[in-house]
Amino acid sequence: MEKTLYTLIVHSENIAGLLNQITAVFTRRQINIESLNVSASSIPGVHKYTITAWTDSETIEKVVKQIERKIDVLQAHYFTDDEIYQHEIALYKLSTPEFQSEPMASKTVRRHSARIVEVNPTFCIVEKNGMSEEITALYEELRTYNCVLQFVRSGRVAITTSCFERVNEYLDMRAEKYRRQKEEGHE
Amino acid sequence: MSKERITGAEAMMRSLEHQGVKTLFGYPGGSIMPTFDALYGHRDRLNHILVRHEQGAAHAAQGFARVSGEVGVCLVTSGPGATNTITGVADAMIDSTPIVVIAGQTPVSMLGTDAFQEVDLVGITQPITKWSYQIRRAEDVAWAVARAFYIAKSGRPGPVVLDFTKNAQTEMVDFEPMTLDFIRSYDPDPTIDEEKVKEAAELIDKAERPFVLVGQGVELGNAQEELRTFLEKADIPCGCTLLGLSAIPTAHPLNKGMLGMHGNLAPNVKTNECDVLIAVGMRFDDRVTGNLATYAKQAKIIHLDIDPSEFNKNVKVDIPVLGDCKKTLTKLIGSIKDNKHTEWIDSFAEHAQTEYARVIEKEVYPKEGPLNMGEVVRAVSEASNNEAILVTDVGQNQMMSARYFKYSKNRSIVTSGGLGTMGFGVPAAIGATFGRPDRTVCVFMGDGGLQMNLQELGTIMEQKAPVKMILMNNNYLGNVRQWQAMFFGRRYSFTPMLNPDYMKIAEAYEIPSRRVMKREELQDAIQEMLTTDGPFLLEACVIEEGNVMPMTPPGGTVNEMLLEC
């Protein structure tokens, strides 16, 4: 089946050991995680995981359901690139002598809307925000100048482009359902 | 309620009592000693069954839970005590059995230092539990126990592990028992989508050849009555999975028998002839479906389950109906029309007759030769008026007893389905006698399985647990031998087994026993077993190279079962 790069967004309680449980779902199915980013979300006490992986549509659906099955996971959803706004950050450590000896190098950095954040006689550091492909494109170009000492990219962070906030709605729905249950229980 | 200052260990005891626990299975050791010390003061309220190996504790807790519908509890020490329960925990996970394993753990100050009997239990058990949690402070005991029991028994049940650090057992806490009935990230009783019920009802009403697959979910959801009403109202025949066998009596005219690799011929054949397949609380295990590419391709599939991750997992579902099947079946009953499918139902008979003539008659009513396994099983079942609880080990004994035992009451089969754990039988049967002391518990096993947890005969001796053990001894690891005969050119690689004298073993454990070699002695021996107070070991020396038939070979198609091999 055809493989697509999917972005999973998972919201969970902030509990130690949960990351392990989530990644284990991928391991069991021998799916490589391309990138993984974990941080606090806008909701207090709720963590957000942004995970990318290449797989097919059937598998991703099963993976998401199995993640959602974990007791402390609030919600898990998967998206294709056209359903999200996504970004990465990358840092490029370049050899200063090599960088300066290549007249096109600094133009390349400007053309890619990257910026030089540190320069010293030995190395300089270039920082770039952008889509995955843009970051790769800059790397490929810099590499042709033989000046790249180190290169690192963050995992993808993403937000959905739809209008509603599913996690907030989910939490409201859960609270409401519990309230109704209690009322019915007391009748 | 005013709070009382007590130790974490004492808080554990009181929390268990608050959850209604009366029986637990365990084994003491270093890191759980403070808790066992607290247990000493609760002996009059908490009946602790000392097993002989922690694996036995886990399986006993499973047997207890499966027959009673309550949560089974284990209490073991850290390190090897905890790891010895792992097989039982994994078994409980795949078979959706509610158990709570409480294991000791080194004090927090020593965690991660490779301390004596330290093992990363939470790390090990995360993939095989519904929830796994380390209690690091005495303050957390009440909450963790309340959460553990809520998770274990609600929704699709499953095992929970509590890793109880030694300092949390000895430290003091202002204790107040807790009850927990809400976790915002976990909805064990999903709201039913009325639209799906309506779609399902319309499809069922229009169906000409509907067929129901009954899974353990019916028993777990206490929906046996609803299932029966549903089947009768719509006049739909059904087949049962191994774990769902007692959800509807064997004798019910709409019950067409067992599904799966060694199930009955008619329900397997008809799976590939029906036009609407309604699966209730089952998970389309590969032992049920055989080759998925040829499984029920002609049918529209309705799947009732409480676990959304089961939908489309193995079989593409046309109408998923999420929810507690007691509720979804009730709604379906209200939405469907009364119906009749006489011709369709009658068409099962031909296959049942074929199976009877070519397999069952020979197996159950042989005229000569050594004893057959099916013959022994059926004789025990009938001698107990088909009302006993059947516990099985794993292998040929399991398939034979599942096939030839008859079920008339709910929650009457305890077997290791998903994991297929040899050695499960004896300890699970011990647990079952504590879960349902009012019922007769018969466990069938082979010579391989009995020896995998043989030490639990000590538990039976000490507890005088009235386990009726039927050892079907064929001097082989029979199931593997059968496969070697069928698929590996009769190369019997390490399946013949030299056996000890089981009568002497029984004698050493003071368990009454009898060995049967001849057909003429069988009935008398069974009567002796059933009328003897307390445990009994009946060794039936059965045909050495007996085969379980019919069979869908692994990866085969359900309607192409082999009747002979």
Side-chain angles (χ1 to χ4, degrees):
Chain A
M1 215 177 283
E2 202 184 324
K3 288 192 173 180
T4 311
L5 183 68
Y6 288 100
T7 302
L8 277 78
I9 299 182
V10 181
H11 285 89
S12 82
E13 302 291 0
N14 178 13
I15 285 177
L18 207 58
L19 175 60
N20 212 351
Q21 292 185 54
I22 290 171
T23 55
V25 175
F26 290 86
T27 313
R28 245 181 116 175
R29 289 182 177 270
Q30 290 286 303
I31 303 168
N32 270 346
I33 291 175
E34 287 292 318
S35 78
L36 168 67
N37 187 288
V38 188
S39 61
S41 77
S42 57
I43 304 157
V46 173
H47 262 52
K48 177 173 175 168
Y49 302 68
T50 312
I51 306 164
T52 60
W54 285 95
T55 185
D56 59 69
S57 60
E58 257 183 41
T59 307
I60 197 70
E61 200 180 320
K62 290 176 194 176
V63 163
V64 162
K65 279 197 219 169
Q66 279 171 344
I67 290 173
E68 207 160 46
R69 196 168 171 232
K70 306 288 170 197
I71 298 286
D72 293 303
V73 168
L74 291 158
Q75 277 196 316
H77 297 286
Y78 67 94
F79 303 92
T80 50
D81 281 355
D82 55 349
E83 296 167 311
I84 50 172
Y85 178 80
Q86 49 100 354
H87 239 67
E88 278 181 42
I89 181 168
L91 299 173
Y92 310 74
K93 183 175 170 182
L94 311 175
S95 152
T96 305
E98 300 285 343
F99 185 69
Q100 284 175 340
S101 70
E102 174 51 66
M104 294 301 288
S106 68
K107 278 188 186 160
T108 300
V109 169
R110 277 200 302 278
R111 184 157 42 79
H112 279 269
S113 307
R115 57 196 190 104
I116 297 165
V117 290
E118 157 114 35
V119 185
N120 64 41
T122 324
F123 64 84
C124 51
I125 297 174
V126 171
E127 178 195 297
K128 158 106 186 113
N129 293 310
M131 311 283 275
S132 306
E133 314 79 71
E134 297 169 356
I135 283 165
T136 309
L138 175 57
Y139 172 69
E140 294 297 343
E141 262 189 70
L142 288 173
R143 218 165 53 135
T144 61
Y145 307 137
N146 286 325
C147 63
V148 182
L149 299 172
Q150 284 180 39
F151 166 59
V152 65
R153 61 202 301 168
S154 70
R156 172 184 284 198
V157 291
I159 43 181
T160 59
T161 49
S162 70
C163 296
F164 59 98
E165 288 307 320
R166 298 200 214 201
V167 181
N168 282 323
E169 281 180 17
Y170 173 82
L171 290 174
D172 290 347
M173 186 268 288
R174 292 287 299 135
E176 171 63 18
K177 188 171 169 185
Y178 182 62
R179 196 184 56 74
R180 276 206 317 271
Q181 250 173 35
K182 280 279 146 189
E183 278 176 10
E184 281 164 19
H186 286 299
E187 269 166 17
Chain B
M1 200 193 284
S2 68
K3 292 185 178 180
E4 201 181 330
R5 199 153 176 81
I6 56 176
T7 64
E10 176 66 20
M12 176 59 77
M13 293 300 110
R14 296 196 194 179
S15 297
L16 291 176
E17 282 170 10
H18 182 66
Q19 291 296 330
V21 174
K22 292 187 179 67
T23 309
L24 52 161
F25 304 89
Y27 204 99
S31 293
I32 197 70
M33 279 183 69
T35 302
F36 267 86
D37 186 61
L39 176 62
Y40 197 69
H42 287 254
R43 279 169 302 164
D44 56 334
R45 284 149 288 170
L46 289 170
N47 185 19
H48 175 265
I49 315 302
L50 178 69
V51 295
R52 296 299 183 267
H53 185 290
E54 289 90 350
Q55 187 186 356
H59 293 325
Q62 288 183 274
F64 176 91
R66 291 270 283 271
V67 299
S68 67
E70 292 165 28
V71 178
V73 184
C74 295
L75 189 61
V76 298
T77 194
S78 64
T83 54
N84 280 345
T85 66
I86 296 293
T87 302
V89 171
D91 195 293
M93 184 65 175
I94 199 161
D95 280 352
S96 309
T97 310
I99 64 169
V100 172
V101 175
I102 301 153
Q105 180 58 286
T106 47
V108 167
S109 59
M110 293 170 80
L111 285 173
T113 66
D114 298 330
F116 179 64
Q117 295 192 332
E118 182 193 357
V119 71
D120 177 9
L121 186 63
V122 170
I124 291 173
T125 56
Q126 263 178 349
I128 51 166
T129 50
K130 250 184 112 173
W131 188 53
S132 188
Y133 185 76
Q134 188 171 65
I135 304 175
R136 298 189 193 90
R137 310 179 307 169
E139 292 98 291
D140 295 338
V141 171
W143 172 83
V145 172
R147 203 173 197 256
F149 277 75
Y150 175 61
I151 289 171
K153 68 187 171 193
S154 60
R156 177 176 181 176
V160 172
V161 165
L162 293 176
D163 192 31
F164 196 11
T165 61
K166 199 164 184 180
N167 61 290
Q169 298 173 45
T170 51
E171 283 161 14
M172 303 298 283
V173 58
D174 292 319
F175 176 77
E176 192 175 19
M178 255 185 84
T179 305
L180 192 145
D181 62 354
F182 180 71
I183 297 171
R184 66 177 183 174
S185 56
Y186 166 64
D187 188 357
D189 187 13
T191 309
I192 295 163
D193 184 342
E194 303 282 349
E195 202 50 46
K196 293 284 177 217
V197 174
K198 203 170 142 234
E199 281 175 42
E202 281 168 9
L203 192 56
I204 292 166
D205 282 342
K206 279 193 297 196
E208 289 173 3
R209 300 182 310 282
F211 186 48
V212 169
L213 309 178
V214 178
Q216 190 196 200
V218 174
E219 300 249 47
L220 294 171
N222 288 318
Q224 299 93 346
E225 272 311 303
E226 288 76 7
L227 173 77
R228 195 178 168 140
T229 312
F230 170 73
L231 294 174
E232 287 170 2
K233 183 173 182 185
D235 197 34
I236 306 181
C238 72
C240 301
T241 67
L242 175 64
L243 269 60
L245 278 171
S246 63
I248 177 162
T250 312
H252 194 287
L254 290 171
N255 185 353
K256 299 300 176 193
M258 182 163 95
L259 299 161
M261 182 178 269
H262 289 298
N264 293 113
L265 184 61
N268 277 311
V269 169
K270 293 294 167 177
T271 298
N272 273 9
E273 286 179 19
C274 65
D275 61 352
V276 175
L277 193 65
I278 305 133
V280 188
M282 57 85 72
R283 58 185 178 83
F284 293 105
D285 178 70
D286 58 81
R287 285 295 187 269
V288 162
T289 62
N291 185 358
L292 284 171
T294 57
Y295 182 79
K297 287 292 169 196
Q298 80 294 343
K300 291 268 185 204
I301 296 179
I302 300 170
H303 192 177
L304 277 60
D305 210 287
I306 198 161
D307 180 354
S309 73
E310 287 300 339
F311 297 140
N312 299 322
K313 188 183 79 178
N314 295 334
V315 169
K316 193 97 187 104
V317 174
D318 295 287
I319 306 178
V321 184
L322 181 65
D324 176 350
C325 67
K326 194 178 181 76
K327 296 179 182 173
T328 50
L329 281 171
T330 304
K331 282 189 187 290
L332 270 180
I333 294 165
S335 314
I336 54 169
K337 294 198 212 93
D338 284 322
N339 219 329
K340 278 282 164 218
H341 298 103
T342 313
E343 200 179 321
W344 163 240
I345 291 167
D346 290 347
S347 72
F348 282 68
E350 172 201 339
H351 302 287
Q353 280 153 12
T354 304
E355 187 186 350
Y356 185 84
R358 291 176 60 185
V359 178
I360 299 172
E361 192 174 23
K362 285 187 273 191
E363 181 64 36
V364 180
Y365 308 107
K367 301 213 168 44
E368 51 189 19
L371 285 168
N372 281 344
M373 289 180 271
E375 172 184 20
V376 175
V377 170
R378 180 59 61 82
V380 172
S381 179
E382 285 174 352
S384 64
N385 204 19
N386 302 323
E387 285 178 353
I389 289 172
L390 168 69
V391 183
T392 83
D393 209 84
V394 165
Q396 289 187 318
N397 66 87
Q398 176 184 36
M399 290 298 108
M400 284 293 189
S401 44
R403 282 177 57 82
Y404 296 113
F405 212 76
K406 292 183 176 179
Y407 313 89
S408 60
K409 294 181 168 178
N410 298 336
R411 288 186 179 271
S412 290
I413 179 163
V414 180
T415 187
S416 170
L419 202 65
T421 306
M422 275 177 72
F424 175 86
V426 170
I430 295 171
T433 62
F434 286 95
R436 286 302 297 269
D438 57 319
R439 294 185 64 185
T440 303
V441 176
C442 295
V443 52
F444 288 85
M445 58 217 157
D447 38 312
L450 170 59
Q451 292 187 88
M452 273 207 189
N453 269 317
L454 188 68
Q455 77 287 346
E456 296 310 324
L457 294 180
T459 311
I460 292 178
M461 171 181 70
E462 183 168 345
Q463 299 294 333
K464 299 185 171 52
V467 181
K468 308 299 181 190
M469 291 173 278
I470 302 99
L471 166 63
M472 300 195 287
N473 187 351
N474 57 9
N475 294 315
Y476 274 110
L477 299 173
N479 210 41
V480 178
R481 186 210 55 73
Q482 179 177 342
W483 282 45
Q484 285 171 339
M486 293 175 72
F487 312 121
F488 292 88
R490 280 183 63 97
R491 286 156 59 88
Y492 289 171
S493 181
F494 300 96
T495 43
M497 206 163 62
L498 181 65
N499 272 302
D501 183 338
Y502 291 105
M503 297 299 103
K504 285 187 182 158
I505 287 175
E507 192 188 342
Y509 284 106
E510 294 172 12
I511 295 170
S513 64
R514 181 162 167 185
R515 179 184 288 139
V516 178
M517 317 276 288
K518 294 201 187 88
R519 184 153 292 118
E520 304 77 61
E521 300 166 39
L522 182 62
Q523 289 297 343
D524 188 58
I526 292 170
Q527 279 312 320
E528 186 184 342
M529 173 180 77
L530 293 175
T531 51
T532 301
D533 238 8
F536 195 95
L537 176 67
L538 173 64
E539 180 184 6
C541 299
V542 297
I543 180 170
E544 290 208 325
E545 297 191 34
N547 291 320
V548 187
M549 285 287 138
M551 180 181 196
T552 307
T557 293
V558 285
N559 59 343
E560 293 171 3
M561 291 188 95
L562 304 176
L563 290 161
E564 282 102 16
C565 65

